[in-house]
Amino acid sequence: MKYSSQMVAKPYFIFALILLAGEILFGVLMGIQYMYGDFLFPLIPFNVLRMVHTNLLIVLILFGFMGATYYLIPEEAERELWSPKLAILTFWVFAAAGVATILGYLFVPYATLTEVTFNNLLPTMGREFLEQPLPTKVGIVLVVVSYIVNVTMTVLKGRRTVITTVLITGLIGLAVFFLFAFYVPDNLVMDKFFWWFTVHLWVEATWELIMGAILAFVLIKVTGVDREHIDKWLYLIIAMTMVSGILGTGHHFFYMGAPEYWLWIGSIASAVEPLPFFLMVLFAFTMARDSKIKHDNKIALTWAKGTAVMAFLGAGVWGFMHTLAPVNMFTHGTQLTAAHGHLSFYGAYIMIIFTMISYAMPILRGRLHGNCAKAQKLELSSFWMMNIGMLGLTLALTAAGIVQIMDLRMGTELKGFMESQESIQSIFMIRLGFGLLVFVGLITYFASFFVKEEA
Amino acid sequence: MTERITKSMAKNIYYGGGMFALLIFIALTFDTVQQIPKRSNQGQMTESVVAGKALWEKNNCVGCHTIVGEGAYFAPELMNVFQRRGAGDEASFKAYMQGWMAAQPLDIPDRRKMPQFHLTPAEVDNLSDFLIWTSKINANEWPPTIEG
């Protein structure tokens, strides 16, 4: 560790991993309730389980991004963080707000929660992924703004690199597009249209910039490849991201009340969306091949390559499967969307956080050459368990989606929704099995932190 | 392939391409916002429809159901529930909804459960009006069948 202020990243990483455990646990509970409707009902109805599952995901990714940023910014800017105290303060504010929100979901009926959190003053709740009470949303804005100020001040007073520029652009985009979470028109179609400005332009545009910057940073560190070379790749990747991702928002506007031209624009632009992810695969593997150094932290490079591959599969391949308008007519609103959602979030955003933690955490713990071989071996087995688990559950959800489409939307003898769901119980059982494998993989990953260093 | 591309070329594609895409996106956003009121029959969006949407959000219905294809996949699509359960007749759909909402949760072992939301009859009517209005949105021929 070159700068002592990089240490503020540590609590962010640890908390992100704790939230991830909660997220997967709630995923498993949902998997059970999918098959046994009486499980946990009426104690925790499905919508509450899901809200906890998805909100933990979003918050843990933000914690992961923040930890990654606070670690890499001082090294890139070649100076201490502008205000480590502010970074620690916002950690506690964000952690407290996050925990309070989750407890609110679990212990207060949602309708009551809307009443006691001033939702009547400015209604923003009850929309997918943006269910947070108004005070939490305002808290997120304050935390993100303080984070951006801290990062920008550090960079302005220090060295500017392509990585920091791309990262800050992504962060500002993240903040700007979150503001649409406060705009809830009475017209459902208008509401959905602008809801995507937050949801799509986060995950398929601005977050990709952040991800690209983190990946580039780790690759420089573990391969020692020339920065000029890395910068060119980074620009190329984010160029493709912007060109395809912004107009690619159109693939959400096919069948929700927006005009017909989105059928064409959304299909064409989003057909290009796999390209930046494919470039990431080439990027990671080319840099690994051209390695100038032999870094002892081998597992960090494994995660970096894995991130590129799994992001390409989840976001690229599984996204492309249903992104063309004539196909989407049949897949819109089925388990196929869930399949894509699971693998892309995991492959792109959870894995980039694993990559960063795998690289940075040993250094933050004083192990400058990475963890010992035994710990890395254990981490490698967790890598495979989680990847196979996620791929397996994605394949199961894909199969479930296909059966659902055949039952509900193809042919003349249509089944009803509940009847169709009952017919895919066995597929949901397989999904649950793979979900448990992911959970065991995560526990194994945690265990790798506690392997004693050889003397 | 990447040998022939220089860093400054890549940078220009990023700024140029990104800006170009953003400008088209903004222009189309303005056009879409103009067209949505007509495509969604905003004129028929009564106070009851708006109240129904607020109830939909307040009770987090989207946490289990999809509406116009978006939401959770635990429970049925509701854009065309008006046609599916009410056969397109407002009075019979509203009667159906009163009965359905009052009967929750259904006492069928292991069936997925819908909570009891304790809505007043007037509130259930608001919800019905919201779903009836939603069923008339021009969503480019979606959903493909009555089962959603």
Side-chain angles (χ1 to χ4, degrees):
Chain A
M1 195 172 52
K2 290 189 183 125
Y3 300 91
S4 62
S5 56
Q6 286 176 284
M7 208 50 140
V8 301
K10 202 172 172 180
Y12 282 91
F13 288 148
I14 294 171
F15 199 63
L17 290 175
I18 293 170
L19 296 181
L20 178 62
E23 191 238 340
I24 298 176
L25 175 69
F26 274 81
V28 169
L29 297 179
M30 289 161 82
I32 301 172
Q33 208 180 63
Y34 241 81
M35 293 180 298
Y36 307 103
D38 292 322
F39 178 71
L40 288 179
F41 187 89
L43 193 63
I44 319 180
F46 185 81
N47 73 89
V48 176
L49 289 175
R50 185 175 194 266
M51 208 158 44
V52 174
H53 179 64
T54 57
N55 283 227
L56 280 176
L57 172 72
I58 297 165
V59 173
L60 93 86
I61 291 172
L62 292 177
F63 269 101
F65 283 169
M66 289 177 187
T69 312
Y70 288 136
Y71 183 86
L72 74 79
I73 283 293
E75 264 181 44
E76 285 294 297
E78 295 185 326
R79 51 158 299 164
E80 295 286 354
L81 198 62
W82 180 64
S83 171
K85 278 196 184 123
L86 183 64
I88 290 296
L89 178 75
T90 49
F91 169 80
W92 287 108
V93 171
F94 196 23
V99 170
T101 305
I102 299 297
L103 293 178
Y105 289 161
L106 286 172
F107 295 108
V108 183
Y110 194 74
T112 313
L113 197 62
T114 64
E115 280 160 20
V116 298
T117 58
F118 319 105
N119 194 55
N120 52 336
L121 293 180
L122 178 66
T124 65
M125 292 172 74
R127 302 190 306 156
E128 200 184 359
F129 312 130
L130 302 179
E131 297 93 347
Q132 307 82 26
L134 188 60
T136 308
K137 285 198 181 89
V138 173
I140 291 174
V141 171
L142 294 177
V143 166
V144 168
V145 167
S146 95
Y147 161 55
I148 293 176
V149 167
N150 210 343
V151 170
T152 310
M153 289 306 287
T154 312
V155 170
L156 285 180
K157 294 187 171 197
R159 179 177 70 150
R160 278 177 58 187
T161 64
V162 175
I163 290 178
T164 58
T165 308
V166 172
L167 186 63
I168 290 173
T169 313
L171 295 180
I172 291 171
L174 181 155
V176 168
F177 290 118
F178 185 64
L179 296 179
F180 287 96
F182 293 91
Y183 178 57
V184 185
D186 286 339
N187 185 322
L188 179 71
V189 178
M190 204 75 94
D191 175 351
K192 283 173 175 290
F193 184 72
F194 285 108
W195 176 81
W196 282 115
F197 279 49
T198 300
V199 176
H200 175 96
L201 292 173
W202 264 20
V203 300
E204 289 175 57
T206 55
W207 286 16
E208 279 185 47
L209 298 190
I210 299 167
M211 176 196 176
I214 299 173
L215 185 63
F217 174 80
V218 175
L219 286 174
I220 288 181
K221 296 294 164 181
V222 298
T223 66
V225 169
D226 195 32
R227 187 179 280 274
E228 277 294 300
H229 205 55
I230 298 259
D231 286 351
K232 181 182 84 178
W233 275 93
L234 180 57
Y235 268 129
L236 212 54
I237 289 167
I238 60 168
M240 293 306 124
T241 300
M242 287 294 114
V243 170
S244 64
I246 294 175
L247 286 169
T249 318
H251 63 207
H252 301 292
F253 301 154
F254 294 160
Y255 307 115
M256 44 64 83
E260 282 84 359
Y261 50 73
W262 288 110
L263 298 172
W264 287 98
I265 290 166
S267 297
I268 294 166
S270 65
V272 187
E273 280 194 66
L275 192 59
F277 290 102
F278 184 67
L279 287 177
M280 272 189 219
V281 177
L282 290 181
F283 178 41
F285 282 82
T286 312
M287 297 306 109
R289 190 196 62 200
D290 298 346
S291 254
K292 297 273 194 304
I293 52 170
K294 265 236 162 312
H295 202 288
D296 293 327
N297 190 344
K298 293 198 184 70
I299 189 75
L301 183 57
T302 307
W303 279 112
K305 289 193 279 189
T307 301
V309 171
M310 296 299 275
F312 173 66
L313 286 177
V317 177
W318 256 268
F320 185 77
M321 260 182 215
H322 53 142
T323 205
L324 300 177
V327 177
N328 195 256
M329 169 61 104
F330 293 94
T331 59
H332 184 47
T334 65
Q335 296 290 339
L336 212 68
T337 317
H340 162 57
H342 278 85
L343 199 62
S344 53
F345 266 95
Y346 170 76
Y349 300 120
I350 299 300
M351 283 188 73
I352 193 66
I353 291 168
F354 278 139
T355 303
M356 190 65 188
I357 291 179
S358 207
Y359 169 71
M361 206 56 173
I363 300 173
L364 292 172
R365 299 172 78 196
R367 302 165 179 181
L368 300 184
H369 298 281
N371 290 324
C372 67
K374 204 175 150 202
Q376 289 197 35
K377 208 176 151 195
L378 193 61
E379 194 177 335
L380 185 65
S381 62
S382 79
F383 169 91
W384 285 110
M385 276 190 262
M386 287 191 272
N387 282 333
I388 293 169
M390 287 309 296
L391 259 178
L393 81 82
T394 300
L395 285 167
L397 287 172
T398 308
I402 291 169
V403 176
Q404 193 184 356
I405 292 162
M406 305 274 262
D407 283 352
L408 267 59
R409 296 178 178 175
M410 300 283 223
T412 46
E413 302 235 341
L414 302 175
K415 276 188 193 170
F417 179 89
M418 295 306 286
E419 197 194 337
S420 167
Q421 292 288 302
E422 269 166 39
S423 76
I424 39 185
Q425 284 281 17
S426 51
I427 302 177
F428 286 136
M429 184 61 94
I430 295 169
R431 181 268 293 267
L432 180 60
F434 280 109
L436 286 167
L437 180 61
V438 177
F439 197 61
V440 174
L442 185 71
I443 301 295
T444 310
Y445 177 76
F446 287 170
S448 78
F449 282 81
F450 298 99
V451 173
K452 284 220 163 55
E453 286 291 285
E454 289 136 10
Chain B
M1 146 196 129
T2 52
E3 277 71 27
R4 268 178 273 146
I5 302 170
T6 63
K7 179 176 157 184
S8 72
M9 276 164 75
K11 186 178 174 181
N12 290 338
I13 304 173
Y14 167 58
Y15 284 107
M19 204 46 84
F20 179 70
L22 196 61
L23 287 175
I24 296 182
F25 186 72
I26 290 170
L28 291 176
T29 294
F30 277 101
D31 184 72
T32 300
V33 168
Q34 298 289 319
Q35 291 203 41
I36 284 176
K38 188 161 172 282
R39 297 179 60 95
S40 59
N41 310 300
Q42 195 163 289
Q44 295 169 30
M45 224 168 69
T46 59
E47 262 175 49
S48 178
V49 170
V50 174
K53 180 174 182 276
L55 283 164
W56 169 268
E57 286 158 3
K58 189 177 174 184
N59 293 286
N60 195 27
C61 306
V62 83
C64 293
H65 291 276
T66 50
I67 188 161
V68 202
E70 290 161 6
Y73 318 108
F74 188 69
E77 164 67 39
L78 294 182
M79 180 189 187
N80 57 354
V81 69
F82 172 52
Q83 285 87 352
R84 190 163 61 242
R85 297 285 178 248
D89 180 72
E90 298 201 5
S92 56
F93 179 65
K94 284 186 174 174
Y96 170 83
M97 280 286 284
Q98 293 289 352
W100 180 255
M101 295 302 289
Q104 304 304 322
L106 298 183
D107 190 19
I108 305 171
D110 276 342
R111 188 184 194 274
R112 293 179 194 171
K113 296 287 186 299
M114 173 152 140
Q116 175 52 251
F117 291 103
H118 306 289
L119 301 183
T120 65
E123 286 177 325
V124 175
D125 274 347
N126 293 150
L127 215 43
S128 301
D129 282 331
F130 169 62
L131 292 173
I132 292 167
W133 174 83
T134 303
S135 76
K136 293 172 184 162
I137 291 168
N138 174 0
N140 293 334
E141 318 271 309
W142 200 89
T145 70
I146 189 85
E147 294 300 340

